[in-house]
Amino acid sequence: MFETAPLNPPDAIFGLIEQFKKDTNPNKINLSVGVYQDESGATPVMKCVRMAEQKLLDAAGTKSYLPIDGPASYNNAIGRLILGDLYDHANVNSVSAQTPGGTVSLRLAGELLRRVFSVDTIWMSNPTWANHPKIYGAAGLNVEKYDYLDEQGTRLDFERLVSSLDGAKPKQAILLHTVCHNPTGVDPTPEQWEELCKVIAEKQLFPVFDFAYQGFGTSLDADAFPIRKFVESGGEALVCNSFSKNFGLYAERVGGITAVSKDADVAKAMLSQIKLTIRTMYSNPPLHGGAIVDTVLNDAELREVWEAELTEIRNRILQLRAGFVAAMQKRIPDTDFQYILDQRGMFSYSGLTADQVGKLMNEHAIYALKSGRINVAGINSGNLDQICDAIASVV
Ligand code: LMR
């Protein structure tokens, strides 16, 4: 039977990691996968994580099963992280479950939407993270796209976004990048979010918030604005969050799914459905990554260390953007690169074509996504000139 399996092409993002590893050029630079790199090009284990791991090591501990939805202390902490003061609001009732990373959380959301609510379609931005359509296709949903960028492909075209939702029908889902849109780095303004929340409510669409970059935009609280705005007036939502980026816990696979409703009994029923779905998919979550996050979020001292580290990362990425723009402006003075300064998070839609990206890779050993997405967090003072010279030579 196996001989009938067609050969699937390598993953658009992870395929490049494999290619990068094989490249023997000593000057190779990886701007492809969304992983934070420090000034030395390393992806360090954060200090708060090492401190939490030490604490966990010192405690007796056990490797027995976790509850299907993960520990209550973890789930309360992520509910509070996402909802802020709304977490204690009588009319905002949320339930959360620990998941192995953001991807599983997104898939769980798809399973719930299809199985429990017979949702058949999910709308997502064009462009979006390359894995989004695959995840929801695998969950049995039809994928529809809403417009996102302007003609130049560098800024949000909000009117176009809203009008491209004209065909959306009640009871369809809409996937939203809460902050630091992947792959473009282009986010709506708070005013546009308010408007979009209204459109979603009017159209009776069901929002799924992908929240992979909390803390990478403006601050932990400001980045949660779209979710809080939507649920404060009674809206229901699913939130899929990840701690890969803001805790640097990529390989630990740790995140969560949160269902928000205005009614406590509804939330309780949602948790029962989330647990049923988890039990049939992976039974219960892995221990280590969640225990780290749980320890940090529930310890005042460790939390302070985490927030300071996250602020440092966010500020450094802003500096990298500024340095990159200044260096490109010198090489190509007649192009306006302001949009790169306005984008947020690790990614920038550089405007490079697939052909130019190919040349960057083949002629300069600089790896970026075919779509033109570059990971700004892969730039450092040692490779900046090499990157900018190479880009200037291919455009
Ligand atoms: C990315 O977009 O590069 C990251 O989110 C990693 C991934 O899983 O694709």
Side-chain angles (χ1 to χ4, degrees), residues 11 13-14 32-35 103 129-131 182 212-213 245 250 253 347 369 373:
D11 182 78
I13 298 174
F14 273 64
S32 63
V33 67
V35 170
T103 301
W129 181 43
N131 212 17
N182 179 3
Y213 294 92
K245 324 279 172 165
Y250 307 90
R253 311 310 300 144
F347 304 122
L369 299 197
R373 185 192 87 174

Side-chain angles (χ1 to χ4, degrees), residues 323-340 350-352 356 360 384-395:
F324 178 62
V325 166
M328 285 310 300
Q329 207 79 70
K330 261 195 228 152
R331 287 162 175 86
I332 316 178
D334 49 352
T335 303
D336 182 6
F337 291 102
Q338 175 64 35
Y339 65 90
I340 293 179
S350 62
L352 290 167
Q356 291 164 341
L360 276 185
L384 178 67
D385 282 329
Q386 191 191 334
I387 292 168
C388 295
D389 285 342
I391 293 177
S393 78
V394 303
V395 295

Side-chain angles (χ1 to χ4, degrees), residues 70-343:
S73 52
Y74 176 92
N75 291 325
N76 292 337
I78 68 169
R80 198 170 281 288
L81 193 60
I82 292 168
L83 294 171
D85 291 343
L86 284 177
Y87 188 68
D88 299 316
H89 206 285
N91 295 327
V92 177
N93 286 283
S94 71
V95 286
S96 300
Q98 183 185 327
T99 62
T103 301
V104 171
S105 170
L106 290 162
R107 174 67 188 266
L108 262 174
E111 296 292 329
L112 284 165
L113 291 171
R114 198 203 68 246
R115 186 179 61 76
V116 186
F117 305 105
S118 306
V119 171
D120 60 4
T121 300
I122 186 160
W123 290 75
M124 52 187 74
S125 62
N126 182 21
T128 192
W129 181 43
N131 212 17
H132 275 152
K134 293 183 185 164
I135 290 170
Y136 287 102
L141 297 181
N142 300 314
V143 170
E144 293 278 359
K145 300 276 175 77
Y146 57 84
D147 292 332
Y148 200 68
L149 296 177
D150 61 10
E151 293 294 337
Q152 288 73 42
T154 51
R155 293 187 183 279
L156 182 70
D157 189 335
F158 188 70
E159 315 250 289
R160 223 169 128 204
L161 187 168
V162 172
S163 62
S164 66
L165 285 170
D166 272 353
K169 298 189 181 62
K171 256 196 97 174
Q172 293 183 333
I174 180 165
L175 182 63
L176 302 155
H177 297 239
T178 313
V179 73
C180 305
H181 183 271
N182 179 3
T184 66
V186 175
D187 290 332
T189 62
E191 294 72 32
Q192 289 169 333
W193 272 118
E194 283 192 40
E195 189 60 34
L196 191 55
C197 287
K198 278 190 211 145
V199 171
I200 291 170
E202 273 161 25
K203 288 188 175 292
Q204 297 173 48
L205 297 177
F206 187 85
V208 178
F209 288 95
D210 184 347
F211 204 10
Y213 294 92
Q214 187 173 12
F216 272 73
T218 306
S219 70
L220 286 169
D221 281 323
D223 293 354
F225 173 81
I227 299 167
R228 295 179 190 175
K229 190 77 227 163
F230 192 81
V231 301
E232 77 180 2
S233 49
E236 292 180 337
L238 282 170
V239 181
C240 304
N241 81 295
S242 164
F243 293 116
S244 292
K245 324 279 172 165
N246 54 13
F247 270 85
L249 287 172
Y250 307 90
E252 297 294 354
R253 311 310 300 144
V254 55
I257 185 164
T258 296
V260 193
S261 158
K262 57 175 188 268
D263 186 288
D265 288 335
V266 171
K268 203 169 147 196
M270 277 305 290
L271 182 60
S272 74
Q273 290 298 336
I274 290 172
K275 286 167 77 170
L276 173 63
T277 315
I278 289 174
R279 184 74 172 126
T280 58
M281 283 173 69
Y282 56 89
S283 190
N284 47 74
L287 175 71
H288 191 64
I292 295 169
V293 172
D294 197 345
T295 306
V296 174
L297 292 182
N298 287 304
D299 178 303
E301 189 200 334
L302 291 189
R303 178 150 179 153
E304 214 173 288
V305 175
W306 174 55
E307 290 196 19
E309 287 184 283
L310 194 53
T311 304
E312 202 182 307
I313 290 174
R314 180 173 62 243
N315 290 339
R316 182 165 168 267
I317 295 177
L318 289 175
Q319 282 165 12
L320 290 172
R321 284 186 183 277
F324 178 62
V325 166
M328 285 310 300
Q329 207 79 70
K330 261 195 228 152
R331 287 162 175 86
I332 316 178
D334 49 352
T335 303
D336 182 6
F337 291 102
Q338 175 64 35
Y339 65 90
I340 293 179
L341 297 177
D342 297 338
Q343 296 166 347

